[in-house]
Amino acid sequence: MAEDVRINARSTGLPPLRIRAARVIVTCPGRNFVTLKIETDQGVYGVGDGTLNGREKAVVAYLEDHVIPVLIGRDARRIEDIWQYLYRGAYWRRGPVTMRAIAAVDMALWDIKGKALGVPVYDLLGGPSRDGVLVYGHANGADLEETKDEVARYLDAGYKAIRAQTGVPGVAKPYGVSRDKDFYEPAEDELPVETIWSTPQYLRHAPKLFDALRVRFGDDVELLHDVHHRLTPNEAAQLGKSLEPYRLFWLEDPTPAENQEAFRLIRQHTTTPLAVGEVFNSLWDAKDLIQNQLIDYLRATVLGAGGITHMRRVADFASLWQVRTGCHGATDLSPITMATALHFDTWVPNFGIQEYMRHTEATDAVFPHAYWFEAGRLHPGDAPGHGCDIDEALAAKYPYAPKQLPVARLEDGTMWNW
Ligand code: GCO
Ligand code: MG
């Protein structure tokens, strides 16, 4: 008689991993990061990122007051059940604070499960779909000449895809142009810096940037550009049309996306690929854009959109309409998010590209990680879990410093979209 090989329906191959403690670590190695550390009774711990640029303390309070108390004693193996508990149990569903708190828990739980099983997270998701994750870097300059030189520098560094942002004549602090060419950090001051925006100046200047870049670098380099929510739908249609000769990889955030229907107007006038979603926090923010094929890339990521557990669903839904991922990866997402996103990127079938704004050396020291850059791609490494940790002793040397993102006004003083 063959041995009874029925598997106990409750066994997962792992012993119960009871959550015995969890705490939030806030550190500011040049900019603020919010990290959740979850410890289990088996000695395995995991870390997750909960950073929300300019609103970090809101996520800290949400985690400390409303999440950690309900985590203690739960089985860390039950990633999905804990996600559903925190999402449905919140009652006040969705929103950037709630979903980043859930994301911090989710990243930490996937990290724990990978460590407990001794496998990298991408193997838990279904294994690699690619060798290395195509990334894009951020070239920016005060004027066309400096921007061209910065693109050349990123090409020399091995990037295959480069976002280009440049100064706009008559606009004092345009989006995406930084003093430090390697590290772009917009949240510079305790109170929001007021910037002025001129759409007419911008619409006249943007095509000149990409004409200059194609003349100097030819067609091989993938060029991206971020409009950063500054245009009306019709203005975005004008811009998309004017940039068609330069074949951008994508035009990002052309107009605010609360009204997903607005993208239909842009789509009617231009074939320039569109990317949106770094400010989205759930599939519901993108559902109409995806199913009406109004975008080509979705910028939501494991931090903003509730962790791997939700991002898998978002990506699968997007794949039905051939929308690809283009995860947000600015410096205000910690190396824990970058590490976790790279495991997601390594697995996800409808991968597009990963943003890669390098962190400072101080940040990389606080968050030691397994991922590395080579020939225009990031590689997650094969450490168990997501491969990123936090050096708590070093983190403690960088106390929280209140910072806020800038705001934007039009030249007549009208509040606008930063
Ligand atoms: C990007 C984003 C950033 C945001 C920043 C806000 O495309 O990387 O637009 O530059 O402005 O993440 O905190
Ligand atoms: Mg952006």
Side-chain angles (χ1 to χ4, degrees):
M1 177 66 170
E3 180 193 347
D4 181 345
V5 292
R6 279 178 306 149
I7 295 171
N8 174 336
R10 295 178 63 79
S11 87
T12 66
L14 276 175
L17 293 163
R18 292 288 166 207
I19 296 172
R20 65 174 186 78
R23 66 180 178 282
V24 180
I25 302 156
V26 181
T27 183
C28 186
R31 58 146 302 100
N32 293 305
F33 294 109
V34 176
T35 302
L36 175 70
K37 185 166 188 175
I38 296 179
E39 296 171 324
T40 68
D41 61 357
Q42 301 294 313
V44 181
Y45 69 88
V47 290
D49 183 17
T51 305
L52 178 58
N53 201 2
R55 299 292 182 273
E56 292 85 359
K57 285 302 190 74
V59 180
V60 172
Y62 195 103
L63 285 168
E64 289 182 340
D65 299 345
H66 310 299
V67 171
I68 290 174
V70 300
L71 286 180
I72 305 304
R74 287 187 187 276
D75 184 345
R77 297 176 301 174
R78 296 178 152 234
I79 299 174
E80 184 67 52
D81 182 63
I82 290 172
W83 194 96
Q84 296 294 336
Y85 182 95
L86 295 176
Y87 181 80
R88 297 170 188 272
Y91 188 73
W92 313 106
R93 294 181 185 187
R94 300 191 287 152
V97 173
T98 300
M99 297 307 283
R100 286 184 188 222
I102 293 175
V105 175
D106 196 71
M107 287 187 221
L109 295 179
W110 281 100
D111 192 25
I112 287 168
K113 181 156 281 195
K115 286 175 176 176
L117 289 169
V119 297
V121 167
Y122 57 69
D123 274 342
L124 298 176
L125 298 174
S129 302
R130 56 195 55 78
D131 297 319
V133 171
L134 176 67
V135 297
Y136 70 90
H138 278 217
N140 72 78
D143 54 35
L144 294 185
E145 288 312 309
E146 185 179 53
T147 308
K148 285 191 282 186
D149 291 343
E150 281 299 295
V151 169
R153 192 164 70 88
Y154 274 83
L155 280 171
D156 291 345
Y159 285 82
K160 311 297 184 200
I162 300 167
R163 186 186 90 165
Q165 307 289 141
T166 192
V168 177
V171 175
K173 289 177 71 70
Y175 163 73
V177 180
S178 59
R179 283 189 297 272
D180 184 326
K181 293 306 163 202
D182 283 325
F183 309 109
Y184 173 60
E185 176 46 69
E188 294 173 315
D189 294 74
E190 186 168 350
L191 295 177
V193 169
E194 296 225 350
T195 67
I196 302 298
W197 177 251
S198 165
T199 293
Q201 291 276 31
Y202 171 71
L203 288 178
R204 281 193 288 271
H205 196 64
K208 294 175 184 170
L209 168 64
F210 290 98
D211 183 66
L213 292 176
R214 285 299 181 211
V215 165
R216 175 159 169 188
F217 300 107
D219 291 336
D220 290 344
V221 58
E222 297 290 3
L223 295 174
L224 301 87
H225 184 64
D226 192 346
V227 184
H228 219 261
H229 325 280
R230 303 293 169 94
L231 303 180
T232 64
N234 191 52
E235 290 164 347
Q238 290 175 44
L239 178 64
K241 207 174 177 67
S242 71
L243 295 178
E244 280 179 15
Y246 310 112
R247 288 171 307 291
L248 265 60
F249 183 90
W250 82 30
L251 188 64
E252 177 183 348
D253 283 334
T255 194
E258 293 99 318
N259 175 12
Q260 299 178 49
E261 184 60 25
F263 281 69
R264 192 180 302 280
L265 189 151
I266 305 170
R267 217 44 165 186
Q268 284 164 354
H269 293 282
T270 182
T271 56
T272 293
L274 302 177
V276 72
E278 68 184 44
V279 297
F280 290 176
N281 56 78
S282 87
L283 175 52
W284 298 104
D285 293 329
K287 175 176 165 292
D288 299 343
L289 288 166
I290 292 169
Q291 65 188 17
N292 295 307
Q293 296 182 290
L294 300 180
I295 57 172
D296 303 281
Y297 297 92
L298 185 61
R299 298 270 289 133
T301 189
V302 292
L303 172 54
I308 288 177
T309 300
H310 189 56
M311 269 308 296
R312 287 198 298 182
R313 297 200 160 92
V314 175
D316 284 347
F317 183 81
S319 70
L320 299 180
W321 287 277
Q322 303 187 68
V323 172
R324 293 188 178 109
T325 64
C327 293
H328 187 204
T331 45
D332 47 283
L333 292 68
S334 94
I336 296 172
T337 288
M338 182 53 76
T340 307
L342 288 172
H343 284 266
F344 170 81
D345 293 336
T346 296
W347 156 76
V348 70
N350 49 320
F351 171 75
I353 198 166
Q354 169 68 50
E355 178 178 8
Y356 180 39
M357 262 197 207
R358 289 173 187 265
H359 290 103
T360 62
E361 285 180 17
T363 296
D364 284 343
V366 171
F367 296 97
H369 50 266
Y371 61 81
W372 81 90
F373 176 84
E374 183 181 358
R377 297 176 189 277
L378 275 174
H379 300 265
D382 55 10
H386 56 47
C388 187
D389 204 342
I390 183 167
D391 178 331
E392 293 194 59
L394 199 50
K397 293 182 177 176
Y398 300 103
Y400 171 73
K403 305 270 187 183
Q404 293 206 48
L405 284 168
V407 297
R409 291 183 184 274
L410 298 180
E411 290 161 304
D412 69 356
T414 304
M415 268 307 291
W416 199 240
N417 315 309
W418 177 74

